[in-house]
Amino acid sequence: MTTAAALGYLEHSLDAGDDGPVPVALLLGPVGGREKALADAGLDRSDWRAARRRWIAEADRVTRAMSWLDAGADVAGVTIGVKDTVDVAGMPTTLGHADHRHHPAADAAAVARVRALGLAVTGKAYATELNIGAPGHVLNPAFPELSPGGSSTGSAVSVAAGICDYALATDVLGSARWPAANCGVAGLRTTWHPRRLTGALPVSPTQDALGLMARTVADLRRLWRRGPVTDTGPVPPGGTAAPRVATLVNTAGCAPVMAEGQARTVAALAELGIPHTEVELPAGLWRAREHAWELCAADVAEVVRQIESRLGLRISPVARASLGPEPTPARRAELLAGQREFKVQLLALLDRAGVDMLLTPVGSTPPKRVVERAGKPTLPKPGDTDYADRLGYTPIASFAGLPALVLPALVHLEAGPLGVQLVGRPGHEAGLLDLGTALEDVLDTRPALVDRVAHTLREAR
C-alpha cells in the first residue's frame, strides 16, 4: 500500500461497525475521560479495539514510528510503546542499529513496572542508532517538515500520532524532551538514579534517566499517581502550597519566537496565581552545559567502543561523526567532579532564590527542519558553526540529575510546537506534573495539535 493510499484509508475506514465513525479527536485524545467519551459515542470495547487497531497500523505505516508492533497487544486498554534501546520480553531489541537484534528473556525493570500498572505494551518505538544517530526516516506527524528530534524519536512520534497512549524512553541531554517538544507532546525526564535503567542501554550512565511521554501532562500525572513508575520508593504526592517558579535570565537571548512561548507561560503562571521571579546562573554554572555535552561524548565513545568490540557491530558514518577524542583520565575525573559541584551549586542557588522550579524554553531556537538536520551528528562539538545554538537548555537538568518536564506553550504555524521546560528538585516529579497540568489547561495548545496531526495523516492522498 502506498503512503497516499494509507492516508486515504485513514480518512475513510475508521468505522466502528454499525455504530458510526470513531472521531479522530478520540483516537488522538487523552486517556483521561476516554471511557465517558466512548460511552457518549455509543462505542463498546470491541468497537474501540477494532477501530483503534486499524488506526495504529495505518498511522505507523505513515509515520514509521515503530520498529516492532505487537499484533496481539490489547489496544482497547491503556497502551505504551517502549524505546528500542529498552528490553521487552518477546520483542527484539535493535538499539537502533540496522544489523543488530537480540531477544531478551526478561523485561527491563521499567517495563515490568508499567506492565504492573496495567499498561499494554504495543511494541518497540524507533530509536536513533545507539542513541547518537540521526532521526532518519521517521515523520513528525504534527509538522512533517520539521525534524522529530532524537534519540527517543519514535517514542514521541508514536504518542503524537495516537499509536500508543504513553511511551517509555530514555533521556540523556534531552533525548526524550527534544522529541516531545518537536512533536507537541508532554515529556518527563525523571530524577537520575543508577538503578532505573536496568535492562536499557545507557550511553552516558552519569546523566541517562528514564523518560515518559503522553499527549497531555494530565495523562502523565494520572500515570504517575497510579503507582511507582520508578523503583526508588513510593512516589511523593504533589505539594499543597503553590510552587515558586523562576525564569533564567541567561535565556533572554533566545530567538523571539521562543521568547514568545516563554512569555505566554509566564502569563499563564500569573493567571494561576503562581509566584514568579527571575534568577541568573553565574557564568561558571552556565558554562556547565558545555561540560555536560563533553562528558556525554566521552561516555558515548566508551560505550561505542565496547559495543563494536563485544557485538562485532560497526556504526554508521553519521553516528560516528558524533564521537570525539576520548578525554584523558584526569580530564574525565575533572568533568565528574565538576558535575558533582554543579548539582550542589544549582540547588544552593534555588535555595537562596526561594524557588522550587526553573522555567526555560527547551532551546534557544525553534525545531529544526528535516533538511537542516539531515546527515548531521547528534552531539555538538565546539567547532560547529551552530554549537552555541545546539547546546540548548536541557543539559541544566541532566548535569544535575534533576527531573524536568516539557510541554507545548505555543503552536506556531511556521515554527512548529514551541516547548517550555520546568526543572524541579530531586524526586519532585509530582510537583512538576501538578503545575504542568494546570499550565496546559491555560495554554490550551492541544486542539491545534490534534488538527495538525489529523491533517498530516490525511493530506498526502
Side-chain angles (χ1 to χ4, degrees):
M1 183 182 288
T2 66
T3 299
L7 292 169
Y9 179 87
L10 275 177
E11 179 164 8
H12 296 294
S13 73
L14 293 177
D15 189 320
D18 296 330
D19 292 321
V22 176
V24 171
L26 184 54
L27 289 156
L28 295 175
V31 174
R34 177 181 291 162
E35 292 302 322
K36 183 179 185 303
L38 288 172
D40 290 346
L43 299 170
D44 63 25
R45 193 174 179 84
S46 61
D47 293 331
W48 169 245
R49 180 186 291 109
R52 199 181 195 200
R53 198 174 293 284
R54 290 195 296 269
W55 175 274
I56 288 171
E58 299 308 322
D60 180 54
R61 189 185 298 274
V62 173
T63 62
R64 302 174 293 274
M66 306 298 286
S67 59
W68 180 271
L69 269 174
D70 180 6
D74 181 14
V75 297
V78 180
T79 60
I80 188 165
V82 179
K83 184 178 180 178
D84 203 7
T85 57
V86 181
D87 283 348
V88 177
M91 299 182 190
T93 300
T94 73
L95 305 179
H97 194 285
D99 300 324
H100 176 70
R101 299 288 184 279
H102 74 264
H103 298 269
D107 288 334
V111 175
R113 290 192 293 277
V114 295
R115 284 197 199 272
L117 294 175
L119 277 65
V121 177
T122 54
K124 304 299 290 294
Y126 172 87
T128 64
E129 183 182 358
L130 303 184
N131 290 332
I132 58 171
H137 58 275
V138 181
L139 180 78
N140 183 336
F143 283 81
E145 70 278 11
L146 299 181
S147 169
S151 63
S152 302
T153 310
S155 300
V157 171
S158 62
V159 167
I163 296 169
C164 52
D165 297 314
Y166 293 96
L168 186 62
T170 60
D171 186 290
V172 183
L173 292 169
S175 316
R177 286 167 287 164
W178 280 107
N182 286 14
C183 295
V185 300
L188 175 70
R189 171 196 162 88
T190 62
T191 304
W192 176 85
H193 194 285
R195 289 205 311 267
R196 291 185 173 174
L197 288 180
T198 302
L201 172 71
V203 294
S204 183
T206 65
Q207 300 182 89
D208 247 312
L210 183 69
L212 289 167
M213 300 183 201
R215 282 182 288 281
T216 67
V217 181
D219 277 345
L220 285 178
R221 180 174 179 254
R222 182 172 290 102
L223 178 61
W224 196 261
R225 287 186 162 196
R226 284 176 59 186
V229 179
T230 57
D231 65 345
T232 52
V235 176
T240 55
R244 300 157 299 174
V245 182
T247 53
L248 283 181
V249 175
N250 310 70
T251 66
C254 67
V257 71
M258 301 304 289
E260 183 181 354
Q262 177 89 338
R264 192 164 187 257
T265 309
V266 170
L269 288 172
E271 185 173 335
L272 292 167
I274 305 295
H276 168 261
T277 187
E278 293 182 340
V279 298
E280 183 173 10
L281 288 184
L285 292 186
W286 191 239
R287 283 196 300 272
R289 296 177 305 142
E290 300 180 50
H291 301 155
W293 281 108
E294 185 182 354
L295 178 59
C296 179
D299 288 341
V300 165
E302 170 66 19
V303 169
V304 168
R305 186 171 68 249
Q306 292 292 331
I307 286 176
E308 290 190 325
S309 172
R310 296 184 181 188
L311 301 180
L313 297 177
R314 290 294 177 266
I315 65 173
S316 68
V318 172
R320 190 169 296 281
S322 286
L323 305 182
E326 291 193 48
T328 64
R331 178 56 181 163
R332 182 186 287 273
E334 185 179 356
L335 288 170
L336 291 172
Q339 183 186 32
R340 291 190 294 271
E341 183 63 20
F342 176 76
K343 181 173 184 177
V344 170
Q345 292 191 29
L346 182 59
L347 292 176
L349 183 144
L350 297 182
D351 289 339
R352 290 193 301 272
V355 298
D356 306 299
M357 304 175 194
L358 295 175
L359 171 67
T360 77
V362 175
S364 59
T365 56
K368 298 295 186 290
R369 296 185 175 272
V370 172
V371 294
E372 295 174 313
R373 291 298 302 131
K376 290 189 176 181
T378 299
L379 275 61
K381 295 186 176 68
D384 296 342
T385 56
D386 57 352
Y387 177 67
D389 169 27
R390 293 185 60 203
L391 286 177
Y393 307 138
T394 52
I396 295 167
S398 303
F399 207 44
L402 301 180
L405 173 70
V406 299
L407 69 155
L410 178 66
V411 182
H412 192 281
L413 290 179
E414 294 183 0
L418 304 178
V420 290
Q421 171 185 236
L422 287 167
V423 179
R425 293 175 179 269
H428 284 203
E429 287 90 344
L432 290 174
L433 295 171
D434 285 349
L435 178 56
T437 298
L439 283 172
E440 77 177 355
D441 284 345
V442 177
L443 295 169
D444 195 28
T445 60
R446 190 70 204 144
L449 288 163
V450 169
D451 287 347
R452 292 287 315 187
V453 173
H455 179 77
T456 297
L457 296 179
R458 289 170 166 167
E459 184 60 22
R461 289 182 299 133

